[in-house]
């Protein structure tokens, strides 16, 4: 019985850790995808991506979320 209780505790800890990792990783992935989308739009409109912003392109798709 003690082994079963230990296994159940380990399962609960694993589920909690998976939830914490997902909660931390989701905003990081969303930020990376949004930056990639903005960079791609900038390059397609003839600009260059410098210091986290678009330089020298038309601003047609800046907020297409």
């Amino acid at each position: 019985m003690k082994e079963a209780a230990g296994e159940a505790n380990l399962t609960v800890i694993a589920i909690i850790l998976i939830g914490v990792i997902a909660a931390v990783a989701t905003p990081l992935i969303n930020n990376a995808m949004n930056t990639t989308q903005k960079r791609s739009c900038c390059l397609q409109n003839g600009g260059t991506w410098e210091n986290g912003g678009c330089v020298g392109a038309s601003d047609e798709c800046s907020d297409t979320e």
Side-chain angles (χ1 to χ4, degrees):
M1 190 67 173
K2 287 182 183 180
E3 291 177 16
E7 249 183 75
N9 287 339
L10 227 74
T11 302
V12 170
I13 291 171
I15 291 171
I16 290 171
L17 285 175
I18 290 169
V20 168
I21 291 169
V24 170
T26 300
L28 294 174
I29 292 170
N30 282 339
N31 185 26
M33 290 185 70
N34 287 336
T35 302
T36 302
Q37 179 184 11
K38 290 176 185 176
R39 182 180 298 171
S40 173
C41 179
C42 175
L43 294 175
Q44 286 177 359
N45 287 327
T48 58
W49 191 260
E50 296 176 10
N51 298 325
C54 187
V55 177
S58 61
D59 203 16
E60 292 178 17
C61 56
S62 60
D63 291 325
T64 57
E65 295 179 22

